[in-house]
Amino acid sequence: MTENINGVLVFVEMVDNQPVELGLEMLGLARRISDSHGGTVTAVVFGTNLEGVGDNLIAYGADQVLINDNVIFDNFHAEAWLPDLSKIVAEVAPAIVLIGHSLSGTDLAPRLAFRLDIDVATGCESIEIVNGRPHMTRSCFGGLAREVVTFNKTPAVATIRSKTQQALTPMMERAGEFKFVSSILDLNSLRSRVIKREREKTVGVKLESAKIVISGGLGLGGPEGFNTLNEIAELVDGAVGASRAACDLDWCPRSYQVGLTGRTVAPELYLAVGISGASHHMAGCGNAKTIVSINSDPAAAIFKSSRFGIVGNCQEVMPALVEEIKKLKA
Amino acid sequence: MKIVVCVKQIQNPEIPPVQFRVDEEKKAVIPVSGLSPVLSPYDEQAVEAALRIRDAAGEGSDIEITVVTIAPAGARAGIKAALALGADNAVLLSEPTFDGSGGYVTARNLAETIRAIGDVDLILTGRQAADWDAGVVGLGIAEILDIPAITFACDVQVTDGVVTVQRVLEDGIETVEADLPALVTISNELGKVRYASMRETMRAAKKPIRDWSPEDIGLDEAQVGFKAVRHVLERLYIPINDIECEYIEGDTAAEMAASLARRLREAELV
Ligand SMILES: Cc1cc2nc3c(=O)[nH]c(=O)nc-3n(C[C@H](O)[C@H](O)[C@H](O)COP(=O)(O)OP(=O)(O)OC[C@H]3O[C@@H](n4cnc5c(N)ncnc54)[C@H](O)[C@@H]3O)c2cc1C
């Protein structure tokens, strides 16, 4: 039996009053750690109208759920969330704090670590307990390397990359308890103010939950190249992504960016069209089950991660592929 | 108004993957020989953000842009690049070659450097350094100095002692403001960085660089270099995930497309 640790705290982000998938994936990781190394799994949620979330998170692996239900937590604002989260982490005193490697999570986790004078590993892909110490494996150098780090102080804070962990199958009969906690936030203490929020409406399937993602890069030759991608996405119920280079040129919305600093996807099928396969891009799609790429350069790095490849001009292949898929669907 | 931009010089993050190697024994990256270091791209954009603020203030504004870096003694390439873009002066804190991912020591020592510079209104950093990709240092500095921090900026403006930031969300844009002093981390959505003009590059050679040692800013031995590090790098390696690619052949684009569609159907992918 390996040495025991003091439990895992998981900060579960909510969107539209539902826990995000990454939150459930992290609960799966926390459960597996606790099952073999002891300690309890505490889920922490901030938001409004959170009825039902307690039972839900218990079903996904939490032993204890702390719910901070308050209108001020309707939208993420790191500075406002920090006092409550710091207090909860200090009180629960777990061995590990897991936070999603989303834009909010990466905004929150380093602040939490410095406020509590502990350390943080961002963008982790796995955590193993060795001799009672959490060993965190994270991607670095634009996805080219992995480092394994441990910390001398506890708790260790880790942000976890989406799609690297498996959520448990929910079991409604799992035992656990939830309780509401009250906020200690003094609104007058806030030094930053959110003035305005403009959200893009997602049409069709969300990138992260799509089973098929079709992504385009500079090889598309221009914004009109995205038309065939959109057509295929519509035919197969997929979503469209892009390389950063394509986003930088405004060929598509910013929110399409897949990669190190964009979305992380792990679909059944990732179709990379005119994308070279830079490590920064692969950091966001490397966990796809099957990658298929179309690129005119036989030496393109993307083929190294692809199951199927077409060496050819995507501007000719894609319209033909649309027709073929139409036939399949007919 | 005083703006400090924290920059780091790194190995070019866009080298071909085959050139990237690590020494697993030493747990360190093996530098590619003959390659000159570059400014970490987000840091370069942080310099650009500072220059845009100064441009917006117009001729004769009192804005002073100082670039700050922690690097081994003599490592001036990053600073020179930032000065050539248009920053006014620089501070180089020479540290016993500390470069780790924890970010803790780096944030502490940058915060102390900024304190020593004094009366800084706005601090800009990249959202993360493009070598270790941690994204910890900027927020750490703000926490240590106890000032507000706004992350992932794609636009930064300053008026009457207030910084207004457009920040990137997964599904949109948010406008956040804070009273100065404040810290802002810059994301790649800020956009293109200007070129270093010949004139500015020549001028840069004469711009003042303050070369500070840790003692100069009151840091003692326990606070710098490896002694202060709180994390252990257990392992550094390059993951191997090459898979066999099956190339779809065909004489025409239509043939290739038909054959790919068939394969995808066989594999039950569509
Ligand atoms: C710090 C940092 C962070 C980054 N983060 C990200 C990120 O999050 N996401 C991301 O994607 N990138 C990111 N990048 C950029 C990344 O390194 C690459 O530059 C980028 O992914 C390249 O995009 P691309 O493949 O579209 O363009 P290119 O690399 O220019 O590749 C275009 C490809 O299209 C092929 N092609 C050209 N014409 C045709 C044609 N007619 N038919 C078929 N193929 C054709 C070419 O052979 C080439 O392989 C980051 C870079 C840095 C330094």
Side-chain angles (χ1 to χ4, degrees), chain A residues 217-218 243-244 257-258 260-261 274 276 280-281 295-296 313-314:
Chain A
L218 291 192
S243 72
R244 190 177 101 182
Q257 183 185 323
V258 171
L260 185 66
T261 53
S276 61
H280 304 102
H281 184 77
N295 196 303
S296 53
N313 182 347
C314 63

Side-chain angles (χ1 to χ4, degrees), chain B residues 64-110:
Chain B
E64 178 189 349
I65 301 172
T66 302
V67 288
V68 173
T69 199
I70 301 184
R76 295 182 169 214
I79 282 186
K80 290 251 166 77
L83 292 175
L85 288 172
D88 296 304
N89 54 59
V91 174
L92 167 66
L93 181 70
S94 301
E95 246 242 82
T97 62
F98 171 73
D99 172 38
S101 66
Y104 166 74
V105 181
T106 313
R108 277 234 90 79
N109 293 352
L110 282 172

Side-chain angles (χ1 to χ4, degrees), chain A residues 8-11 13 22-23 25-26 29 76 85 96-113 119-127 134-139 147 149 151 155-165 260 264, chain B residues 101 127-128 132-136 139 152 170:
Chain A
V8 185
L9 182 146
V10 184
F11 184 74
E13 252 183 81
L22 175 53
E25 292 164 12
M26 291 191 295
L29 170 64
F76 179 76
L85 185 59
I96 306 171
V97 177
L98 302 180
I99 296 178
H101 193 71
S102 59
L103 281 183
S104 335
T106 46
D107 191 12
L108 190 59
R111 298 177 196 253
L112 176 73
D119 299 280
V120 56
T122 54
C124 296
E125 299 182 340
S126 71
I127 298 182
H135 281 52
M136 291 154 287
T137 302
R138 62 181 296 276
S139 162
E147 63 165 334
V149 288
F151 294 143
V157 181
T159 67
I160 304 292
R161 288 194 79 95
S162 160
K163 312 286 183 186
T164 56
Q165 314 298 322
L260 185 66
T264 305
Chain B
S101 66
R127 60 176 286 173
Q128 66 202 57
W132 291 98
D133 289 326
V136 168
L139 288 167
F152 313 132
E170 257 115 12

Side-chain angles (χ1 to χ4, degrees), chain A residues 3 64 87-88 98 114-115 119-120 154 156 227 257 273 312 330:
Chain A
E3 270 176 68
Q64 181 190 200
K87 177 169 177 272
I88 292 170
L98 302 180
F114 276 88
R115 191 146 303 181
D119 299 280
V120 56
T154 45
N227 294 343
Q257 183 185 323
V273 187

Side-chain angles (χ1 to χ4, degrees), chain A residues 212-264:
Chain A
I212 299 180
V213 173
I214 305 128
S215 282
L218 291 192
L220 285 178
E224 54 299 331
F226 276 91
N227 294 343
T228 50
L229 273 57
N230 286 321
E231 271 187 77
I232 293 186
E234 216 165 287
L235 286 167
V236 301
D237 243 346
V240 177
S243 72
R244 190 177 101 182
C247 295
D248 281 348
L249 290 173
D250 283 331
W251 289 2
C252 62
R254 282 256 156 246
S255 56
Y256 282 24
Q257 183 185 323
V258 171
L260 185 66
T261 53
R263 309 284 186 109
T264 305

